[in-house]
């Protein structure tokens, strides 16, 4: 059984969380989706670069080069 009055008293004491980041531009347009997409693209490119760098490192290491298949 839920005591609605107790829940109401408890929730009345909750503090609002501060806004950490605002995705609105200078014109007030919400740019959250664009920011998320830009971050996604940047992370995707960084991961791609890490993989390319590691593949090159392995290829140039005589002890590891056998791990890469030559097509």
């Amino acid at each position: 059984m839920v005591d609605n009055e107790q829940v109401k008293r408890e929730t009345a004491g909750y503090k609002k969380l501060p806004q950490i980041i605002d995705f609105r531009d200078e014109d007030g347009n919400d740019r959250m989706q664009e920011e998320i997409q830009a971050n996604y693209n940047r992370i995707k490119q960084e991961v791609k670069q890490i993989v390319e760098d590691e593949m090159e490192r392995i290829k140039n290491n005589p002890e590891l080069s056998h791990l890469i298949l030559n097509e």
Side-chain angles (χ1 to χ4, degrees):
M1 197 158 213
V2 175
D3 183 349
N4 289 329
E5 285 304 312
Q6 182 180 356
V7 170
K8 186 177 180 181
R9 285 190 304 273
E10 183 179 326
T11 57
Y14 288 177
K15 294 181 182 177
K16 189 170 182 167
L17 294 174
Q19 185 168 352
I20 297 172
I21 189 166
D22 186 0
F23 291 100
R24 287 179 291 223
D25 63 14
E26 60 277 353
D27 296 326
N29 299 314
D30 187 358
R31 298 290 184 205
M32 184 173 69
Q33 282 304 103
E34 289 90 345
E35 288 288 328
I36 291 171
Q37 188 64 47
N39 286 337
Y40 170 81
N41 292 342
R42 180 183 50 81
I43 292 167
K44 187 175 176 179
Q45 182 57 41
E46 288 174 1
V47 169
K48 183 178 176 182
Q49 188 62 52
I50 290 168
V51 170
E52 288 173 3
D53 292 348
E54 280 302 294
M55 292 295 287
E56 190 67 23
R57 183 186 69 81
I58 292 169
K59 186 175 85 174
N60 292 326
N61 184 325
E63 295 178 7
L64 299 175
S65 62
H66 70 279
L67 298 173
I68 298 179
L69 298 175
N70 294 323
E71 294 181 21

